[in-house]
Amino acid sequence: MALFAVQFLFAVGLAQECGVEHYDCRPNTPTDEWDCMKSNCCWVPSDEKGAPWCTYTTGTDYTVVQHGLINPNSGFAKLTRIEHPTWPDTLLNLFYQIDRQTFSENSFVDRIQITDGSDSRHRHPETPVFTPNSTFVPSVNDGDKLGKDYFTGPLVFSDQFIEFSIPLDPETPVYGIGERRGPLVVPRDGWAHSIWTRDVPPIVDLNLYGDQPVFLIGNTGYIFWNSNGKQFQAFKDRMTIRAIGGMIDLFVIRGNSTENAVSIIQEIIGATYSPPEWAFGYHLCRWGYNSSAETWNVNQKMREAKMPQEVQWNDIDYMDGKKDFTFDPDAYGTLPQVIKDIHAQGQKYVVIIDPAISTQDNYLPYSNGIEEDIFIKDETGKPAVGEVWPGATVFPDFTHPGINNYWLEMFSYLYTQGVEFDGIWIDMNEPSNFVAGSSNGCPSSPLNSPKFELPVVDKSLFAKTLCPSYNQSAGTHYDLHNLYGLDESKATSYALKALNPDLKPFILSRSTALTSGRHTAHWTGDNFSKWEDLKYSITAMINLNIFGIKMAGVDVCGFQGPDADEEMCVRWHQMGVFLYSFFRNHNTIGAPGQEPFVWSKNGQHAIRIALEKRVQLVPYFTSTFANESMYIRPIWNSTIDTQFWVGEQIMVCPVLGPGMKNVECYFPKAGDWCNVYDTSVCFTVKSPGTLQIPTDPNRIPAFYPPETAMILQKKAMTLSEARKLPLDLVLNLKNGFANGEFIFDDGETDNSEFVKIKLFVENDQLKITCDASAESERLEAKLKRNFNLEKISVTGSYSYQQNKLRFRPDSFLLNKNLLQLTNFCETEFKMNL
């Protein structure tokens, strides 16, 4: 079967000599006609916003010289071209392969790989979850369609510069591309975003901490599986993608809905890891707790203020001279005792570890690392020396075959000193470096200064990080830079699992890449104490969920200046209860405290209400995390970036500015939308539309949609305490119908036994069923939870009456055990409401 027309697919639409479709002639686009022509490009002025005036010539596309089948599921083509005048290092021979994995009749994924003829290009080392299972191959008759579906414009493929474009529907919103700060919907006016992991505060349009080359438009998703530095540029009709190395490995996901496309994206990237239940509690930290006594005092003040708190953290203050795997014997001499007290209160403890290792003499992590030859090498073959918090430092090579044993050895060393951590926070892992490249700078080379100057912070690939020319076991840092945080996450996960084999590990990483969600949580770094940071965090959480990093959050109230004010901090907590699966208050050294207990009596009261609601909703949050492809989702295919869904049974319209008396909230379906804090307060929506919702200083608008069945915990100071208390049900009916599904396990061990509780209301009759992983008389004890069902609150509308009828405000009292009611999943419990 023939695969392609003679002219290769990238040639679509370029019939005129001077490339009037305005594909940017790179690198470093000339600014006037003379410079443009010197670059063998065409000068074509345009009124289109963002469109380049210096464009590619035509007649320089790749052509097919051989094509056929690799196997029944894979088509290939060998391509050739003449030397590109603008790119003297153009690869003249390429190999193209296409494979398809079918998921259903209307959903599939096509993987398109283009590399050099000898297949010697750098490949992303992480393996996608993709299995070709279709005999689809494009025929010669489909060649033109193939080009229009997947690519448009010219293909440029040289040693250190790749460029191609994907056609887009002009009217459908584009989501994704990260890590970035900005509006939810990607601008389509020539907006560009570079990806090169970097230690820099979240600022609009800068390259930030992560490498997430994923975007979504309608029912179609795209993953560019390339670990090199790259850039996405969005126009009304196309997305142009550029990379400074590697190959084209593009996944095109065709879903039968937007949600289905996201679920397939996540399946290819790899399943999100299952965090321990305590990770969903409230976390408290700051840079600037100057002693273990101050850490304990803050934790004690939270208890005295009756503020639920699950986890206490320490930043680099606890270290001895800011050196990893140590603690200050003077200021933090009592840290082991403080940790024991924290544990005795049913709370957890997390510490920070940075990757850079001090070169100080008689320092075990350094001497052992030198002995094991574990550090990244400079051009002379010696460990590259930079500068981070402890001064002169070297950087572990997390691709080294011996890194897992070394990293485990270091964590064991810290743990046996009495720092009995429950989770680990890995920071500064872009990797961050306080000098450019190293203490000796970077040598002049194409890797350190490639011909195409990727538009990044400080206009340098080695500003505040390592030289790209440095060497790691798996290749050059040029190819592996964006993966440093991911590789550290994998080594840290290995260490924590080895230290506590039965427990689910908790890791928080600042730098992420494709597949990071398999190993770690993420927060958005050094944000600002500003209302706009509060708002932009909605975009960040939605995007991270698309990327498969569902355990995510921000520094609540902001990390750095200006100083947080009470109203903003209260509203941030109120939104954070719902928006952030990882919910942590953290701020910088020298700034005023922003812990919940520092605010006025009224401010404390509002935050306490929010934190108590967080505890109550944790069964829903953990179940949503396990059941849903997205923990946080937007109002799909709209431009609304001021509200969000948590799963499918809570919708939130947060307060995003000071002094707001009302918020505008879009309700996407008819029925009664009832207040999460008080289900007797409902808004009746007759058809999808926007309402003005009054605000309250003690809570933000958050709603159960029609047909919601919710299981709540009781209020408690910790989640372990809440597990000992009975459960409640909330039913928000629509014409007598509602449903919900919840998963309960022991909250801490891998492969825990579990029970799945299903609630279904039909014709005003409540039905409760369950499925258990194992039937046991001791299942309740194994799951470490009280399953007594105490109270059922009902609101909404009956099925058998034309007019809506409110249920009485007092609730049903049942005082029965859910597992007993279902006879350990052998029967169905029924109750008329």
Side-chain angles (χ1 to χ4, degrees), residues 554-825:
V554 308
D555 284 346
V556 173
C557 302
F559 173 74
Q560 59 184 314
D563 298 340
D565 69 77
E566 180 169 316
E567 182 185 9
M568 183 194 67
C569 198
V570 167
R571 293 305 193 189
W572 212 322
H573 277 88
Q574 291 170 338
M575 184 179 76
V577 163
F578 303 100
L579 181 59
Y580 313 130
S581 49
F582 170 64
F583 185 29
R584 183 185 69 165
N585 180 342
H586 175 233
N587 71 329
T588 190
I589 193 167
Q594 59 190 36
E595 297 89 351
F597 56 76
V598 307
W599 306 111
S600 71
K601 184 177 180 180
N602 289 339
Q604 290 188 46
H605 177 65
I607 292 176
R608 188 181 301 109
I609 290 173
L611 299 184
E612 289 173 345
K613 182 56 64 176
R614 176 76 173 200
V615 172
Q616 289 184 284
L617 286 167
V618 161
Y620 173 68
F621 293 154
T622 55
S623 298
T624 297
F625 198 94
N627 289 331
E628 301 287 338
S629 59
M630 293 185 74
Y631 181 83
I632 300 296
R633 48 169 56 86
I635 306 296
W636 283 121
N637 297 320
S638 76
T639 59
I640 298 172
D641 60 0
T642 54
Q643 65 185 80
F644 56 89
W645 285 92
V646 188
E648 295 182 342
Q649 295 201 324
I650 294 179
M651 191 181 75
V652 183
C653 297
V655 178
L656 301 175
M660 293 181 65
K661 302 300 182 184
N662 296 280
V663 295
E664 190 173 89
C665 194
Y666 175 77
F667 293 90
K669 61 182 177 180
D672 292 309
W673 293 74
C674 297
N675 192 301
V676 168
Y677 290 92
D678 182 357
T679 54
S680 68
V681 178
C682 301
F683 291 88
T684 300
V685 176
K686 295 182 178 180
S687 62
T690 300
L691 295 177
Q692 292 291 323
I693 306 299
T695 63
D696 182 313
N698 292 324
R699 53 187 60 87
I700 59 173
F703 303 97
Y704 297 129
E707 300 186 20
T708 291
M710 181 68 58
I711 297 179
L712 297 178
Q713 295 183 146
K714 298 291 188 183
K715 299 174 183 177
M717 291 290 287
T718 63
L719 296 177
S720 58
E721 181 183 336
R723 280 177 160 264
K724 300 173 185 177
L725 303 175
L727 298 167
D728 295 330
L729 299 188
V730 172
L731 307 175
N732 179 28
L733 308 185
K734 181 180 181 181
N735 297 325
F737 286 83
N739 65 85
E741 184 175 298
F742 297 80
I743 296 177
F744 296 96
D745 60 14
D746 69 10
E748 57 186 15
T749 60
D750 272 326
N751 303 313
S752 163
E753 292 186 22
F754 66 89
V755 62
K756 182 180 292 185
I757 305 290
K758 297 181 180 180
L759 308 175
F760 184 65
V761 183
E762 183 177 23
N763 298 323
D764 311 306
Q765 183 182 66
L766 170 64
K767 301 176 183 180
I768 302 175
T769 61
C770 77
D771 295 312
S773 60
E775 292 187 8
S776 167
E777 293 182 359
R778 293 182 50 80
L779 183 60
E780 189 172 15
K782 289 180 179 179
L783 299 184
K784 301 177 182 179
R785 176 176 288 282
N786 184 339
F787 280 95
N788 287 338
L789 181 59
E790 184 173 86
K791 186 169 67 173
I792 305 177
S793 301
V794 187
T795 188
S797 57
Y798 278 115
S799 62
Y800 55 80
Q801 293 192 350
Q802 293 295 321
N803 297 320
K804 185 184 66 174
L805 173 65
R806 289 278 176 219
F807 288 92
R808 63 185 186 274
D810 54 315
S811 302
F812 295 101
L813 292 176
L814 196 60
N815 290 317
K816 294 290 185 179
N817 185 289
L818 275 171
L819 300 185
Q820 292 173 355
L821 290 174
T822 56
N823 291 330
F824 288 98
C825 305

Side-chain angles (χ1 to χ4, degrees), residues 318 326-327 335-336 339 349 351 414-421:
Y318 81 95
T326 66
F327 71 96
L335 182 59
I339 297 172
Y349 180 72
V351 292
L414 177 62
Y415 199 87
T416 56
Q417 293 179 74
V419 184
E420 296 181 352
F421 50 81

Side-chain angles (χ1 to χ4, degrees), residues 500-514:
N500 293 290
D502 295 330
L503 298 183
K504 296 179 179 181
F506 175 78
I507 301 160
L508 179 72
S509 177
R510 190 169 73 179
S511 186
T512 65
L514 285 173

Side-chain angles (χ1 to χ4, degrees), residues 482-494:
N482 286 348
L483 304 177
Y484 194 81
L486 166 64
D487 290 335
E488 186 188 13
S489 298
K490 293 163 61 179
T492 306
S493 180
Y494 174 88

Side-chain angles (χ1 to χ4, degrees), residues 433-502:
N433 184 6
F434 294 167
V435 294
S438 74
S439 56
N440 297 319
C442 291
S444 177
S445 75
L447 294 183
N448 294 326
S449 301
K451 184 178 179 183
F452 171 54
E453 296 178 1
L454 188 68
V456 294
V457 181
D458 295 326
K459 300 181 180 180
S460 168
L461 296 183
F462 52 85
K464 210 172 181 181
T465 190
L466 296 175
C467 302
S469 61
Y470 287 169
N471 292 303
Q472 299 181 229
S473 292
T476 64
H477 193 67
Y478 182 86
D479 291 329
L480 301 171
H481 170 84
N482 286 348
L483 304 177
Y484 194 81
L486 166 64
D487 290 335
E488 186 188 13
S489 298
K490 293 163 61 179
T492 306
S493 180
Y494 174 88
L496 295 191
K497 289 178 179 178
L499 284 171
N500 293 290
D502 295 330

